[in-house]
Amino acid sequence: MTSVMRSTWPLLMGVLFLMVGNGMHGTLLGIRGEIEHIGTFHMSVVMSGYYGGFLLGSLIVPNIIHNVGHVRVFAALGSMISAILVLFAIGPNWISWTILRFLIGFCFCGVYITAESWLNESSTNENRGKTLAAYMIMQLLGIVAAQALLNVGDPAGFLLFAIPSVLVSLAFTPILLSASPAPRFETIKRMSFSRLYRASPLGCVGVFLMGGVFAALAGMSAVWGARVGLSVAEISIFVAAIYAGGLVLQYPLGWVSDRYDRRKLVMLLAATGALTTVFVVVLQPGGAGLVLAGAVLGGVSHPIYAMLLAYTNDYLDQSDMAAASAGLLFIYGLGSLGGPIITGWLMGVTGPDGYWIYMGVLLVAVTAYAGWRMTRRPGLTADEQGSYAAIGTNATALVVEAALDEAQSDTPSDESGDGQAEPIAERKPDDAEPSDTV
């Protein structure tokens, strides 16, 4: 890991600053919205804007990079992000914030794609797995660190918007001044949704539902916290717990998923998350209980998402992974888009508990669907599964493809003695999917 940090530190440091900036502004808007007396539903629209922009960026930015190059796109979108972060403080109303959130989501998608292209290009076959792991760790650490910075100023003032603007500007300095050449870039072809669904119904449905869960969990956490009267410090600790839980549990649960039927683990984790939401709604715990609930939900949501990607990958040829990863991320984006809006509507109808109820319903749906899919086709053995890849919810198709490809190459070799791992697609049972319909 030390050698990886030495060779990629400009990129990883830039990613850390980017995530601090992104994590700060998302939580800050939820707190500032309460100060500005912006309604819950209007704030849910604001929060949803980010996911709409990110979804559009995933479709458009690759073509822009292909036409004008990484450096121009990186610099242009980075400058826009820095400016937008300041503009949030200047025009505090839900319409302008929604537009700005949409734009910043689009821009962050673009800078993630370009940064991840550089990261992938600068790594080798020998260290790619460690590089991707370091990348995911830096992402989560950046968001956790962002929550601590929320306590250095008044959320009603300008300083807390200026800090992420400065950090995002600084993020591009080590990347653009690094000696690494601009990477090659090829637009990823897409797989039809019908073909992707036939390969893994659980992967498609599960990723869609988890998009809604995580968009509500992350996007509306500060809005919910402000509505129930939590202090800035309490909100920042709660949000940090969500990501800390994902960071701590991602690898242990990934290790377990390599040894058991992933569908059973997805079902168990989703049920655990659903029970956690019931715990909060019924018992109405105080500060420590809420932090624990956030850590549990974050701790199950991140691994479930990565397990669903790995599970889908188990039923694909290696040549299809790039197209499938792009399709799955688009499905995830569609689920994310409605998460904050539906959560905001529910909070308006049922009160702040609507935040937990929405996530609980989706997690119950994941639990039930995973259980039902287990009756539709036999599971793969541990030897037939590819290795788990720790993938964050902010990762673009490029990193998802690289991580899944790396995980597939880590599959244990067969017993032929040639030292080569047997391709996953060739190890699937002939009756893996007795029915294409659900």
Side-chain angles (χ1 to χ4, degrees):
M1 184 65 76
T2 303
S3 61
V4 169
M5 293 298 293
R6 279 200 305 265
S7 61
T8 61
W9 75 265
L11 290 164
L12 294 176
M13 186 60 64
V15 168
L16 178 66
F17 284 166
L18 280 172
M19 297 311 298
V20 172
N22 198 1
M24 265 192 86
H25 103 272
T27 307
L28 178 58
L29 286 181
I31 298 171
R32 183 66 175 265
E34 180 72 12
I35 296 173
E36 301 291 343
H37 305 293
I38 300 175
T40 301
F41 182 74
H42 286 159
M43 280 304 303
S44 72
V45 175
V46 170
M47 294 303 177
S48 183
Y50 178 89
Y51 300 101
F54 202 96
L55 187 61
L56 182 64
S58 69
L59 299 176
I60 295 178
V61 170
N63 291 325
I64 299 176
I65 294 174
H66 182 75
N67 291 330
V68 303
H70 283 77
V71 175
R72 288 188 179 93
V73 172
F74 203 57
L77 296 182
S79 297
M80 287 184 63
I81 291 173
S82 186
I84 289 169
L85 288 169
V86 174
L87 290 174
F88 277 121
I90 296 175
N93 67 80
W94 76 273
I95 296 177
S96 64
W97 277 8
T98 301
I99 295 172
L100 293 174
R101 278 279 288 180
F102 182 89
L103 291 174
I104 206 169
F106 181 92
C107 293
F108 265 113
C109 179
V111 298
Y112 288 155
I113 291 174
T114 51
E116 290 168 5
S117 297
W118 257 306
L119 192 69
N120 192 48
E121 186 75 9
S122 64
S123 61
T124 65
N125 291 334
E126 289 72 26
N127 67 11
R128 181 164 286 112
K130 293 180 179 178
T131 301
L132 294 173
Y135 173 73
M136 194 213 75
I137 291 171
M138 294 298 271
Q139 279 194 320
L140 293 177
L141 284 178
I143 296 178
V144 171
Q147 310 315 310
L149 287 176
L150 289 170
N151 296 277
V152 303
D154 181 3
F158 180 78
L159 176 63
L160 292 183
F161 288 99
I163 291 175
S165 176
V166 171
L167 290 174
V168 168
S169 297
L170 292 175
F172 301 106
T173 303
I175 298 175
L176 292 175
L177 294 181
S178 68
S180 301
R184 299 182 303 273
F185 188 82
E186 295 180 3
T187 303
I188 296 176
K189 295 182 180 179
R190 297 192 178 273
M191 179 185 293
S192 70
F193 291 121
S194 60
R195 184 183 171 197
L196 184 56
Y197 179 80
R198 287 195 299 271
S200 178
L202 175 59
C204 292
V205 174
V207 162
F208 177 80
L209 293 173
M210 291 309 299
V213 170
F214 204 83
L217 180 64
M220 292 293 289
S221 54
V223 176
W224 168 81
R227 289 297 182 268
V228 297
L230 298 183
S231 67
V232 173
E234 289 170 331
I235 292 173
S236 64
I237 293 172
F238 175 71
V239 176
I242 294 172
Y243 291 94
L247 180 62
V248 170
L249 294 181
Q250 180 88 267
Y251 290 97
L253 291 175
W255 182 87
V256 174
S257 80
D258 284 343
R259 289 153 179 80
Y260 298 97
D261 188 339
R262 288 193 170 110
R263 297 172 301 180
K264 293 180 181 179
L265 200 52
V266 166
M267 185 172 64
L268 177 62
L269 292 176
T272 300
L275 289 175
T276 300
T277 64
V278 173
F279 161 78
V280 175
V281 172
V282 173
L283 298 182
Q284 298 292 315
L290 290 175
V291 170
L292 177 61
V296 171
L297 280 173
V300 301
S301 297
H302 282 92
I304 287 175
Y305 173 70
M307 284 176 202
L308 290 169
L309 294 178
Y311 176 76
T312 303
N313 185 47
D314 289 340
Y315 291 93
L316 294 170
D317 294 324
Q318 188 167 2
S319 60
D320 291 329
M321 283 192 294
S325 64
L328 286 171
L329 290 182
F330 186 81
I331 293 171
Y332 177 83
L334 290 177
S336 301
L337 188 60
I341 294 178
I342 299 174
T343 304
W345 172 79
L346 267 178
M347 288 175 66
V349 173
T350 66
D353 284 343
Y355 170 73
W356 301 97
I357 292 171
Y358 174 71
M359 291 186 292
V361 169
L362 291 188
L363 288 166
V364 168
V366 173
T367 303
Y369 193 73
W372 186 79
R373 284 305 304 171
M374 291 173 62
T375 68
R376 303 301 294 165
R377 69 174 168 191
L380 299 177
T381 65
D383 291 337
E384 291 171 334
Q385 292 183 157
S387 297
Y388 175 90
I391 300 171
T393 55
N394 285 315
T396 66
L398 179 71
V399 161
V400 172
E401 178 201 358
L404 293 177
D405 182 57
E406 178 70 20
Q408 194 176 63
S409 69
D410 288 339
T411 302
S413 60
D414 61 16
E415 298 178 356
S416 63
D418 59 4
Q420 298 295 320
E422 186 181 2
I424 292 175
E426 295 178 9
R427 290 188 270 111
K428 298 172 202 161
D430 292 336
D431 59 344
E433 179 58 66
S435 172
D436 289 337
T437 60
V438 178

